[in-house]
Amino acid sequence: MLSQMNYRKETQPHGDELFPLSIHVFETDLQSTVRVYCHWHEEVELFYAVKGEAVFHMDTETFLLREGETAFVNANRLHEVEGIDGQEFTFLAVVFQPRFLSGTSLDRIQQQYIEPVLSSEIRFPSKTERGTRLAEKTAQAMQEIRNLQERKEPGWELLLKAELLKIWQGYYSTAEKNGGKTDASTNYRVSRMKEILTYMNAHFCEDLEIAELASQFHMSESAFCRFFKSIMHISAVTYVNNLRIAESCRLLLSTEEAISKIASDCGFRNISYFNRVFQERMHQTPGQFRSLSAENRTAI
């Protein structure tokens, strides 16, 4: 779960310069409601629901992603996946640079079919609706992409790119043309949220009070809290605590520092509060987390 805790703009490359694409399969922990934490990146991403269903948040939009459906996440869009209590949700994610489809030069493919989507002049549907031809074709292509990546037979990269182009063409054929641009208010809210998340990520180990955050972004405390929760769907305090717990887990695994010092270094000024938040989030104490992880490493 820790590797999924991305609360900001991702800087880790997906794939490499010669093959800028990565494929991930997530079978997530039922004890955690959030499957993918809110983040954004420069690549385009396709989420295919293999099993179950979950709530998908994208910028200011929210929808249910059901088994057999695919969500399209354009470059630099905030997105988060929230599970439904007690329900399994397995999904396949394909993340790639848009230039992967067209190449490095400004050819007709990029000019006519790629750039208008990235600029939102043409708006792809946020998800495929189960039972439609688009959903069926996309599901088949996503499953084939997974099979190709697992088998890695000679020429699999060519076939994988062909499947992605099929998906792009399917979305393009059902897209909103001439009028897909996001309204100015939504653009402003999302841009503002990214600024807030970037700041919080840089300062979460400090004494980060809501009053200070609100002042930093020229808002009242109540307005800041309402704005934050309207987009992130959790409170700012919960968000900061999640950042701190993720960092504490990293330090528990990578150092031998005392738990009390780790708590303090991560921004928790009260060890009892740290222990309580940690157990709520990780379903075990910090000591248990460290010892069990050490046992697992020894077993391996």
Side-chain angles (χ1 to χ4, degrees), residues 12-283:
Q12 181 178 355
H14 295 277
D16 57 39
E17 189 63 26
L18 296 179
F19 197 72
L21 175 145
S22 59
I23 300 170
H24 313 280
V25 177
F26 295 87
E27 295 179 354
T28 47
D29 181 4
L30 286 178
Q31 292 180 315
S32 176
T33 302
V34 180
R35 304 304 197 235
V36 176
Y37 282 82
C38 191
H39 67 290
W40 71 98
H41 41 67
E42 293 177 355
E43 296 87 353
V44 169
E45 187 162 10
L46 291 162
F47 282 84
Y48 172 63
V50 177
K51 181 180 180 181
E53 58 187 28
V55 178
F56 209 99
H57 304 292
M58 197 186 313
D59 286 347
T60 57
E61 183 181 2
T62 297
F63 55 85
L64 187 68
L65 189 68
R66 303 175 296 172
E67 186 172 320
E69 296 178 336
T70 304
F72 173 83
V73 182
N74 209 346
N76 292 310
R77 294 196 74 182
L78 283 171
H79 54 286
E80 176 182 3
V81 183
E82 183 182 0
I84 296 170
D85 242 0
Q87 185 176 140
E88 292 182 34
F89 182 62
T90 302
F91 63 93
L92 171 70
V94 179
V95 191
F96 60 96
Q97 283 282 357
R99 62 180 168 78
F100 178 68
L101 298 183
S102 59
T104 55
S105 62
L106 186 62
D107 61 7
R108 182 183 296 175
I109 300 298
Q110 186 169 340
Q111 189 175 46
Q112 185 170 339
Y113 299 106
I114 308 294
E115 288 301 327
V117 176
L118 299 178
S119 67
S120 295
E121 180 184 338
I122 293 174
R123 191 175 180 86
F124 280 3
S126 297
K127 72 162 188 170
T128 59
E129 292 289 347
R130 192 164 60 183
T132 63
R133 180 63 179 146
L134 177 61
E136 292 172 4
K137 287 177 63 177
T138 306
Q140 290 170 5
M142 291 292 283
Q143 290 164 355
E144 182 60 19
I145 285 171
R146 181 178 182 179
N147 293 336
L148 289 165
Q149 192 264 346
E150 288 176 349
R151 294 195 302 263
K152 285 189 168 64
E153 296 172 350
W156 69 277
E157 298 97 334
L158 293 170
L159 295 172
L160 189 151
K161 185 171 183 176
E163 294 298 330
L164 269 184
L165 285 166
K166 285 182 189 176
I167 291 173
W168 199 274
Q169 186 279 330
Y171 270 94
Y172 188 88
S173 67
T174 61
E176 294 179 26
K177 312 291 196 304
N178 302 321
K181 283 189 176 294
T182 309
D183 67 87
S185 173
T186 297
N187 283 337
Y188 173 79
R189 283 164 55 81
V190 172
S191 176
R192 192 70 162 158
M193 192 73 251
K194 288 178 180 177
E195 292 176 9
I196 292 170
L197 296 182
T198 300
Y199 182 86
M200 292 171 80
N201 185 72
H203 298 278
F204 69 88
C205 287
E206 303 168 13
D207 287 323
L208 200 59
E209 302 291 339
I210 298 300
E212 177 198 339
L213 282 168
S215 174
Q216 178 72 24
F217 293 95
H218 310 290
M219 303 166 74
S220 69
E221 285 188 54
S222 59
F224 178 86
C225 290
R226 284 195 305 272
F227 175 74
F228 192 94
K229 195 163 188 177
S230 71
I231 295 180
M232 298 300 294
H233 314 286
I234 57 173
S235 70
V237 171
T238 299
Y239 181 88
V240 171
N241 280 344
N242 285 342
L243 284 173
R244 289 171 173 170
I245 292 300
E247 178 64 8
S248 72
C249 287
R250 187 187 70 79
L251 294 174
L252 285 165
L253 294 177
S254 62
T255 75
E256 296 182 358
E257 292 282 3
I259 290 174
S260 58
K261 185 175 188 310
I262 288 175
S264 177
D265 288 347
C266 292
F268 289 100
R269 303 301 174 235
N270 182 300
I271 187 64
S272 297
Y273 182 60
F274 168 69
N275 287 333
R276 177 159 58 84
V277 173
F278 191 98
Q279 187 145 13
E280 287 174 357
R281 176 67 185 84
M282 302 304 297
H283 311 289

